[in-house]
Amino acid sequence: MKVGTPKEIEQGERRVAMVPDTVKSLVGAGLEVSVEAGAGAAANLADDAYQQAGAKVESRAGSILHEADAVLKVQAPRESEISVMRKGAVLISFLQPATQADTVRSLASHGITAFSLELLPRISRAQSMDALSSQASAAGYKAVLMAADRIGKLFPMMMTAAGTVAPTRVLVMGAGVAGLQAIATARRLGAVVSAYDVRPAVKEEVQSLGATFIELGLESQEGQGGYAREQSEEFLRKQRELIGEHIAKSDVVITTAAVPGRRAPLLVTGDMVKAMRSGSVIVDLAADTGGNVELTQPGRDVDAGGVVIVGTRNVPSTMPLTTSQLFARNVTNLLLHLVKNGALSLDFQDEITKGACVTHNGEIVNERVKQMLTAA
Ligand code: NAD
């Protein structure tokens, strides 16, 4: 069985879905591995290292895609990539199936068996394959560094001969995987941290990291599988009213709130930004999915009356070596879950295989995706 990874073609994507360490695991499992020349270059992974690990380095993406029984990628494939893949091949990548109807339909019509990392069930057996978590965790860490780099203050309290420096106050909105890592990182840098989430279940986790959990007195808004569900506009209005004073008191606000398959909820309005002190910094990690902050401009920093709003897109790609290593392990674990004795063996009774598979045998097979695409 052949496994291939082309170089990512999405603009600004520096990650790669296979690293030399995972090549070794795949070869060890009896698979033939090919990678496109230069695929790891942006993550400082040289072709030689892939070769030494046992991969064939090919100069053309087309032949890798055409010959592979399984393709491992970071970003969803473009039409030019799908059209050269062989019928019956497996694809594992991020697919954003809720919003990428054309890609999903094209994968189905080309007979590709596509697995979407966004649909992997959040169960303990699948934790080693959970790319959403590994990438969100890195993004949460980096969000704090981006804020620290832009604010004209130190994070920790410092007692110096010239006087005492007050610590920076950081507010993290959304305490999922990214938010919890942001809290931990801001605490390690010495900031005073508070956090807010619609799911009160995270209160203890927030407190165990040494942060204060803000309670607004609004009822629990937990949806299926521990995720947040989409809030009503009335709920979000009340939430903004109550959280406003906490935002105004913060030097740094990091927003990480997402609702799977939906536009990110608006948590911070332009007026709320106006109430912040000049020199404060907001990092909007939801910039890719519409933004949690009204004034966010995806892909750039905005100066809103002295408050800097950071809208960097694809934050995990800014740390491509670590995030590629984690991502590659995630997709390799998922692929090896689908392989027995060196060949594909798809068991659709299995919760992971069934849950993450979007297209198979020419059809869209995932019920959630079917519903989302009909509703869209
Ligand atoms: P996410 O990226 O979908 O959302 C980030 C956070 O934003 C969530 O905590 C969510 O509750 C919060 N949020 C949404 N709307 C909000 C609003 N209006 N105001 C404030 N906060 C809002 O979430 P995620 O990081 O993928 O994690 C979601 C859940 O899945 C968590 O409970 C996490 O612990 C769980 N999880 C489980 C596993 C596993 O068991 N294997 C793995 C990863 C995550």
Side-chain angles (χ1 to χ4, degrees), residues 221 229-238:
Q221 293 287 316
R229 67 173 168 78
E230 197 172 22
Q231 327 294 324
S232 66
E233 196 33 57
E234 176 56 15
F235 175 92
L236 288 171
R237 193 189 55 72
K238 264 197 220 141

Side-chain angles (χ1 to χ4, degrees), residues 281-304:
V281 177
I282 303 177
V283 179
D284 188 349
L285 277 187
D288 277 322
T289 54
N292 288 142
V293 183
E294 193 177 21
L295 305 176
T296 295
Q297 290 193 20
R300 49 177 296 220
D301 283 13
V302 175
D303 183 335

Side-chain angles (χ1 to χ4, degrees), residues 82-324:
I82 299 173
S83 60
V84 288
M85 283 177 67
R86 74 156 64 158
K87 195 172 168 196
V90 159
L91 165 77
I92 301 178
S93 74
F94 284 130
L95 281 176
Q96 297 181 1
T99 51
Q100 299 303 318
D102 289 349
T103 305
V104 171
R105 291 197 182 105
S106 170
L107 286 163
S109 72
H110 284 88
I112 310 295
T113 300
F115 291 87
S116 160
L117 292 164
E118 291 92 343
L119 294 177
L120 208 64
R122 252 76 193 269
I123 53 174
S124 31
R125 221 158 41 87
Q127 267 177 5
S128 66
M129 311 166 194
D130 186 354
L132 274 185
S133 286
S134 68
Q135 307 302 295
S137 188
Y141 159 84
K142 188 66 179 271
V144 175
L145 301 190
M146 293 195 292
D149 188 40
R150 283 158 175 86
I151 200 160
K153 296 176 71 165
L154 301 183
F155 266 36
M157 185 181 89
M158 261 191 207
M159 310 249 236
T160 78
T164 301
V165 175
T168 289
R169 294 184 166 276
V170 175
L171 168 62
V172 176
M173 300 182 74
V177 178
L180 290 171
Q181 192 55 244
I183 294 168
T185 306
R187 287 285 301 142
R188 283 199 289 269
L189 288 182
V192 170
V193 184
S194 55
Y196 170 69
D197 198 292
V198 276
R199 297 177 302 117
V202 296
K203 177 178 174 177
E204 277 174 26
E205 278 176 280
V206 166
Q207 289 174 336
S208 71
L209 291 170
T212 310
F213 187 69
I214 297 174
E215 286 173 274
L216 300 181
L218 299 170
E219 67 279 11
S220 159
Q221 293 287 316
E222 189 136 330
Q224 273 180 347
Y227 283 107
R229 67 173 168 78
E230 197 172 22
Q231 327 294 324
S232 66
E233 196 33 57
E234 176 56 15
F235 175 92
L236 288 171
R237 193 189 55 72
K238 264 197 220 141
Q239 186 187 41
R240 290 194 289 262
E241 207 174 277
L242 295 170
I243 199 80
E245 59 171 296
H246 297 277
I247 291 179
K249 279 193 253 162
S250 304
D251 303 300
V252 168
V253 174
I254 293 172
T255 66
T256 76
V259 178
R262 309 262 174 229
R263 190 196 180 285
L266 177 62
L267 304 185
V268 184
T269 61
D271 283 344
M272 290 157 91
V273 174
K274 260 192 212 150
M276 293 177 79
R277 277 184 300 270
S278 176
S280 304
V281 177
I282 303 177
V283 179
D284 188 349
L285 277 187
D288 277 322
T289 54
N292 288 142
V293 183
E294 193 177 21
L295 305 176
T296 295
Q297 290 193 20
R300 49 177 296 220
D301 283 13
V302 175
D303 183 335
V307 176
V308 175
I309 304 168
V310 182
T312 305
R313 305 192 77 141
N314 194 357
V315 174
S317 174
T318 66
M319 299 153 284
L321 181 55
T322 304
T323 48
S324 297

